[in-house]
Amino acid sequence: MDMKRRIHLELRNRTPSDVKELVLDNCRSNEGKIEGLTDDFEELEFLSTINIGLTTVAHLPKLNKLKKLELSDNMISGGLEVLAEKCPNLTHLNLSGNKIKDLSTIEPLKDLGTLKSLDLFNCEVTNLNEYRDNVFKLLPQLTYLDGYDKDDKEAPDSDAEVDDEDDEGE
């Protein structure tokens, strides 16, 4: 299914500014662009674009409220610096199954001060010596890498558990 049609169907007669979650998995991007996704989606908090043939995130619109971005199983090999500008409040980023080979590719993510969880499963970068230690050093704001924290404790599964932890200090 083409991207514009899928976005139209996902809207279900809502305006883009009413949409908080958008799942576009397995659609086809057009030359790496997510056609039909514009900055009118200003309330979007969750975007899933798994396996859509993306080679870059350069064409993402500005999504200030986006917290979770699923980019698994694409062909992204770099250009992540635009995420800090376009998705400044991102907390969860999944880049599993992409063409990320070295730490310099993910270095721009240090500008995403709110990023708590990063997934890089099935990316070549995970084969590097001391990969986990180096990523945590590079991105000190991270709590979880590939689903585990620095002490190899697993991330909570549900959002409810994470929300409960946030409430404890209040």
Side-chain angles (χ1 to χ4, degrees):
M1 179 181 297
D2 100 336
M3 193 67 67
K4 278 185 177 170
R5 178 157 169 66
R6 175 71 174 268
I7 289 174
H8 175 75
L9 290 174
E10 291 284 335
L11 283 173
R12 295 185 204 96
N13 298 320
R14 297 174 295 175
T15 62
S17 61
D18 290 333
V19 178
K20 287 191 184 293
E21 294 192 5
L22 192 56
V23 177
L24 303 172
D25 300 353
N26 304 310
C27 282
R28 284 292 122 220
S29 61
N30 181 11
E31 295 174 11
K33 295 186 179 92
I34 306 173
E35 286 190 311
L37 185 65
T38 64
D39 43 19
D40 294 334
F41 285 85
E42 58 196 12
E43 297 297 317
L44 201 62
E45 293 178 9
F46 175 82
L47 175 61
S48 186
T49 55
I50 297 170
N51 187 32
I52 66 168
L54 269 192
T55 54
T56 177
V57 290
H59 305 293
L60 270 180
K62 188 136 176 79
L63 300 167
N64 278 329
K65 294 197 175 175
L66 196 69
K67 295 203 178 327
K68 290 188 175 185
L69 181 56
E70 283 280 348
L71 294 167
S72 313
D73 301 325
N74 283 292
M75 296 174 283
I76 297 164
S77 59
L80 301 178
E81 55 278 348
V82 300
L83 290 177
E85 173 201 333
K86 302 209 175 179
C87 311
N89 294 300
L90 212 54
T91 59
H92 293 72
L93 178 60
N94 190 336
L95 288 163
S96 301
N98 277 282
K99 309 269 183 227
I100 295 167
K101 296 182 175 150
D102 48 50
L103 292 173
S104 62
T105 305
I106 59 169
E107 187 173 2
L109 300 179
K110 70 181 186 295
D111 296 328
L112 279 168
T114 55
L115 191 65
K116 297 283 170 249
S117 176
L118 176 64
D119 283 303
L120 294 166
F121 284 119
N122 296 326
C123 291
E124 279 184 49
V125 70
T126 62
N127 298 324
L128 296 176
N129 285 339
E130 300 184 23
Y131 150 75
R132 289 182 57 80
D133 289 341
N134 287 326
V135 172
F136 279 119
K137 276 183 203 144
L138 189 65
L139 306 173
Q141 76 274 36
L142 274 190
T143 306
Y144 298 106
L145 175 61
D146 302 331
Y148 291 86
D149 70 9
K150 286 181 188 139
D151 303 319
D152 287 329
K153 290 197 179 81
E154 197 166 1
D157 255 353
S158 73
D159 289 332
E161 287 181 59
V162 174
D163 290 341
D164 288 344
E165 287 175 19
D166 291 345
D167 293 341
E168 284 175 12
E170 291 174 26

